[in-house]
Every structure is written in C-alpha cells, then in structure tokens.
Amino acid sequence: MSIPSGMIHPDEARQIVLDSISQLPSESVPLTNAAGRVLARDVVARYDYPAFPASTMDGYAIASDDVSPWREITGVQIAGPDLGLTVYPGQTVKIMTGAPLPHGADAIIPIEMVEQADDHIVMPDEAVQPGAFLRQPGSDIRSGQTLITAGALITGVELGLIATMGYDTVSVSRKPRVAVISTGDELVDPGSDLAPGMIPDSNRYSLGAALRTMGAEIVHSSRVGDDVRELAERVTSVRDDIDILVTSGGVSVGDKDVVRMLLGESAEVKFRRVFMKPGKPLTFALDKGLVIFGLPGNPVSSMVSLELFVRPAINKMLGRHPLVPDRVSVTLATDIKPSDRLEFQRVQVTVDESGRLLASSTGNQISSRLASMLNANALIVIDAGTETIPAGTVVPAILLDLPRSAGTK
C-alpha cells in the first residue's frame, strides 16, 4: 500500500531524527554514581590481571618436580599481602584461594588430595603437573587490552571491571536534559476531583518514567491548557535548561492543537505525520538547538512514539549502542487484523516448547488503552493491508526495554 501524501514511513522518520541529533559531551563521575550511565570512552586495562600467580584452591603450594613423599608445612599464605615465603625441597606452604604463590613453588595441590598431619602432608601417588590450580599473571586481563568499549551501558559487571583496573572515576556521556509538558484543557492533576469531561493527566508521569529508564534527566514536568501563549511562556522558561522538549497532545489539526500552532511560528519542522498506528500525528522539530518531539495525546500513541523515535534519539545523544534495537522474528499466537497503516501492536512474547518466540496479543489495541502496554514486552510490526493474518504466521517484532509489571489483559 502506498503512503499517502503528507506522511512518511516510520523508518524514514527515525532516520531523520537520528540525522538531526549529536552526541552530548562527556563528564567524569565517581564509580558510586556510574551505574546506569553510558560509557563515553573505552576502558583500557592498566596492568595484567591477576598481577601475580594466584591459587584457585585452598591447598598446599609445592614444587611439582619435588619427589619427596611427604612435605613439612613451613608457613601459611593467606589471600592478601605476599608474606615472602619460600618452598624448598621437602617443604610446602599452606595456601588459601586467591593467595599469591610462594617462591619456589609452581603448583597447588588441593587439601582434599593429601593426607594431613599437624606439621606435614603426605603426597598422593599421582604426579602434580606444573601450573596445577594456579591462575597465571594476565590470564584474565592483559595490560593494554580494551575491556569495555564506549557506548556500553554501565552495569555491575562493567563497574567491577573498571574497579579491578584501579579506576575510581569513569568518563560517561552527560544525560540528556528533558522537559515533559502535557497539553489539554481536559487535563487535571491526579487526585483532583473529576468534573464531567475531565481526565487525569497520566502522560506526564508515564513519559517521564520511561524517559528516565532511557537515561534522560527530567528537569521539568508540567501541564498547560490549550493556550498557545501559555505553552510558549512555559517553553521559554525552561528551554535554556534542556536538550529535548517532549510534549503530549496538541499536534493534530484541530483548532486547539497548540503544539502545532507553536512550532509553526519559529521551529524547523522536520515532519508532522507518520504512516503508522498508533501515533500518526507525531511532530519532530528543531528550534535553535532544542530538539522537540510533539507526541500524540492518546496514551498508547505517545508511549509507542517514545519507543520508536525518542529512545533512538536519546541513545545517540548518549553514544549508546545499538541506537535502534534489532528486530526478531516471532510467531503469532492468534489471528491479527491489519489496518490501513503500518501498525505496531503490543504483544507478550514467550518461548514455547519447540523454542519458538510466540507473540500473544495484550488485548484491545485502541490507542487510548494504556493497559495494552502493561504486559507487553514487544511490538509486532504489521504491514498495512486488508487480509487477516492467521495464527502461526511469522512477523517481525521489536523487543521493548522497559520494565513490565503483571496485570490483566
């Protein structure tokens, strides 16, 4: 099906977004504040690790070519400072896991492999090979080795490796600073009394929470009515403090669509409508360095648009890789009815007995039903059409990176 005039394909829209975004500067943070940040520079090993031959077992340090049937225990080397002990012929040093190997020894024999007395051990008949139960210098990490490449998300594993190399700070990309503004005369704050025709402002909270999980810093969150002057004043008050403005609502063609009217005055609008469902009325614009996403007001439309366009933009600002998640192939658990646009339906993907990824719908897919995202861990991509797609058909899916909670379909 051809794309109607005035709309663009979601892939084209996403590329326009990415082409308009630059990576933000880096900053140095202590390791205690680095979890969840994106690495701005490669982490290179400063030295071999381990830096010394270390025991991998509790046991006894021996010289493997010593043929003595028993060995006198002359000392104990624990994990910690090298005590400078030496193993001579007919001798051994008791050693703990992780402890440095005493001089004169070239192997470890585990405790359970010997007979022990108060001051000596009796060796087994089997020969012990040089290097047995030893971790050699540089066997884990070599000096100069690139351990973690820029663009990686820093988790506990990355933090452990960075600390292992003796770094107490790490270079990370600055978080994108974002303002989230909901628009609409019908909105009230959660907890307020609902007069007829009024609804709680939920988008501001769902969008803000999702943006934080993407690595953004929310520096402003508010709502305004359908008043272009009020919106302009709000944006002016925060624009010097933000990199991205995310609005919800007011982007269609109605008389009260204030975001459309505001951007029409000064911003460079890149696109206004995308050939997709949900989320057709989606505006992307630039205004003197400010990146603006005018998202639809329907809750699902705004969240799906956030995943497809804002997340890649934030990833590029952070230098995070990959910018766009890979698509996987999933098998439909039920029949799917396509629409007149490329559709991103919310599904829960599980693995069946044969190892297939099975996609089950989260229920009614109307764009006002935010509950359709409650159990969703993927978006299936359904081409525009008129023929029902039967269960068992393999379709592409985008795996979602947002935490999910249990709930009803």
Side-chain angles (χ1 to χ4, degrees):
M1 183 178 291
S2 62
I3 299 177
S5 175
M7 292 191 199
I8 63 173
H9 192 279
D11 291 345
E12 181 184 354
R14 183 170 53 248
Q15 193 58 53
I16 290 172
V17 169
L18 292 176
D19 289 343
S20 305
I21 301 294
S22 299
Q23 185 171 345
L24 293 171
S26 63
E27 59 186 12
S28 182
V29 298
L31 296 193
T32 50
N33 296 336
R37 303 295 295 271
V38 175
L39 191 65
R41 296 189 182 91
D42 294 350
V43 175
V44 177
R46 302 168 71 175
Y47 39 71
D48 287 347
Y49 188 83
F52 53 85
S55 175
T56 63
M57 300 286 287
D58 289 340
Y60 295 90
I62 63 169
S64 61
D65 61 355
D66 188 348
V67 296
S68 304
W70 63 276
R71 313 288 169 88
E72 178 187 4
I73 302 171
T74 59
V76 178
Q77 176 65 64
I78 62 172
D82 189 334
L83 301 179
L85 302 175
T86 300
V87 173
Y88 295 102
Q91 295 181 345
T92 186
V93 167
K94 190 172 185 179
I95 194 168
M96 308 305 172
T97 300
L101 184 70
H103 304 290
D106 66 354
I108 305 296
I109 186 166
I111 286 176
E112 56 268 25
M113 292 178 63
V114 301
E115 295 182 28
Q116 304 172 69
D118 290 340
D119 59 355
H120 70 275
I121 61 172
V122 178
M123 297 293 293
D125 294 335
E126 299 81 10
V128 178
Q129 298 300 313
F133 299 104
L134 280 176
R135 192 169 49 151
Q136 297 295 342
S139 57
D140 291 355
I141 299 169
R142 302 298 296 184
S143 178
Q145 175 185 345
T146 298
L147 293 178
I148 316 167
T149 56
L153 182 68
I154 300 175
T155 69
V157 173
E158 287 78 11
L159 273 177
L161 287 170
I162 294 167
T164 294
M165 286 296 103
Y167 296 104
D168 60 352
T169 63
V170 63
S171 178
V172 298
S173 297
R174 178 175 66 75
K175 290 185 175 184
R177 298 183 293 252
V178 182
V180 180
I181 301 177
S182 298
T183 69
D185 287 340
E186 74 278 17
L187 300 178
V188 298
D189 290 336
S192 302
D193 293 335
L194 290 180
M198 306 300 286
I199 59 173
D201 176 14
S202 63
N203 283 358
R204 176 157 48 110
Y205 299 94
S206 57
L207 293 174
L211 285 161
R212 288 187 183 94
T213 69
M214 295 175 186
E217 177 186 357
I218 307 302
V219 299
H220 176 84
S221 177
S222 65
R223 63 178 177 85
V224 298
D226 291 322
D227 184 322
V228 68
R229 179 177 296 180
E230 181 185 11
L231 177 59
E233 291 174 352
R234 190 71 51 85
V235 172
T236 298
S237 70
V238 300
R239 66 167 298 139
D240 290 343
D241 300 322
I242 61 176
D243 304 296
I244 302 175
L245 170 65
V246 175
T247 65
S248 70
V251 291
S252 193
V253 292
D255 293 340
K256 292 289 190 176
D257 287 324
V258 292
V259 174
R260 177 183 56 81
M261 291 186 282
L262 174 70
L263 298 182
E265 295 179 359
S266 61
E268 179 189 0
V269 177
K270 297 290 188 177
F271 57 80
R272 290 188 183 277
R273 296 199 301 165
V274 182
F275 186 65
M276 60 181 275
K277 182 180 180 179
K280 178 177 72 174
L282 169 66
T283 297
F284 174 67
L286 303 174
D287 186 9
K288 301 180 180 66
L290 179 62
V291 176
I292 303 171
F293 290 95
L295 305 184
N298 272 322
V300 177
S301 299
S302 65
M303 291 296 285
V304 170
S305 300
L306 195 78
E307 283 291 324
L308 296 181
F309 304 106
V310 184
R311 182 185 289 277
I314 288 177
N315 283 346
K316 186 164 184 183
M317 284 184 166
L318 291 170
R320 186 178 178 184
H321 298 292
L323 296 179
V324 179
D326 292 332
R327 295 188 179 188
V328 300
S329 295
V330 299
T331 301
L332 297 179
T334 57
D335 295 350
I336 293 292
K337 179 69 174 176
S339 75
D340 60 346
R341 284 167 275 154
L342 187 70
E343 186 169 8
F344 298 88
Q345 293 200 14
R346 284 71 69 200
V347 296
Q348 186 177 64
V349 173
T350 56
V351 181
D352 68 9
E353 296 83 355
S354 64
R356 295 182 307 171
L357 295 179
L358 197 64
S360 301
S361 173
T362 56
N364 192 320
Q365 297 288 303
I366 59 173
S367 58
S368 60
R369 183 176 178 262
L370 186 58
S372 68
M373 296 198 73
L374 190 60
N375 291 312
N377 58 10
L379 302 172
I380 54 172
V381 185
I382 304 298
D383 287 331
T386 57
E387 299 295 326
T388 297
I389 304 172
T393 302
V394 176
V395 299
I398 300 169
L399 298 180
L400 296 174
D401 197 28
L402 291 174
R404 299 289 161 213
S405 60
T408 57
K409 290 186 178 179

